[in-house]
Amino acid sequence: MANIENRKFIALDISGKNYLSWVLDVKLHLSAKKLRHTIDEDNATSNEHRATSLIFLRHHIDDGLKYEYLTVENPVELWQNLNDTFEHLKAVVLPKALND
C-alpha cells in the first residue's frame, strides 16, 4: 500500500476518451495489490480494502468526476457508475481500433 498516493497512470478523463485504457490499468494495478476483488459485485472484503480501493479509484479519475461521485463510499458502486457512464464508448472506439 506504500505510495498509493502517487498516480500510477493517467487519470480517467471527464470525457471518457481514455476509458478503455484506464479500465485495463485499474484492473492490473488492483490485481497487483491483491485488491481486484474489491470492484467485483457481491464481494466480502474488509472495510480497509474497500477504503484503499476507493482512494485508489478516486485518485485516478478527473477532478470533475470526483465531485460528481463525491458521495459514493463503495468502490463497487463507483466502478459501476463509471462503467454505466462510459461503457458505451467501447462500441465507438473498438471498431476503429480493429481497422488499425
Side-chain angles (χ1 to χ4, degrees):
M1 285 189 345
N3 296 326
I4 198 163
E5 297 81 22
N6 296 333
R7 191 168 282 163
K8 305 295 183 188
F9 48 88
I10 297 173
L12 176 60
D13 187 78
I14 196 163
S15 69
K17 67 182 177 183
N18 64 331
Y19 178 69
L20 292 175
S21 63
W22 180 84
V23 165
L24 179 60
D25 288 337
V26 168
K27 287 180 178 180
L28 289 172
H29 277 79
L30 288 178
S31 292
K33 295 178 179 300
K34 298 185 180 357
L35 295 171
R36 171 70 170 79
H37 63 282
T38 61
I39 58 172
D40 294 333
E41 287 191 47
D42 300 326
N43 69 66
T45 190
S46 70
N47 287 336
E48 180 182 351
H49 284 172
R50 254 186 250 127
T52 302
S53 292
L54 189 59
I55 290 166
F56 183 82
L57 289 172
R58 289 184 50 79
H59 189 69
H60 288 88
I61 61 176
D62 182 85
D63 286 342
L65 292 170
K66 285 181 192 176
Y67 294 120
E68 184 174 341
Y69 298 110
L70 188 62
T71 60
V72 176
E73 297 180 0
N74 186 329
V76 174
E77 186 180 347
L78 178 57
W79 183 257
Q80 190 59 51
N81 287 340
L82 293 170
N83 185 56
D84 292 346
T85 302
F86 297 115
E87 184 183 29
H88 70 282
L89 296 175
K90 289 180 183 178
V92 175
V93 176
L94 284 179
K96 183 179 185 292
L98 291 175
N99 290 329
D100 291 341

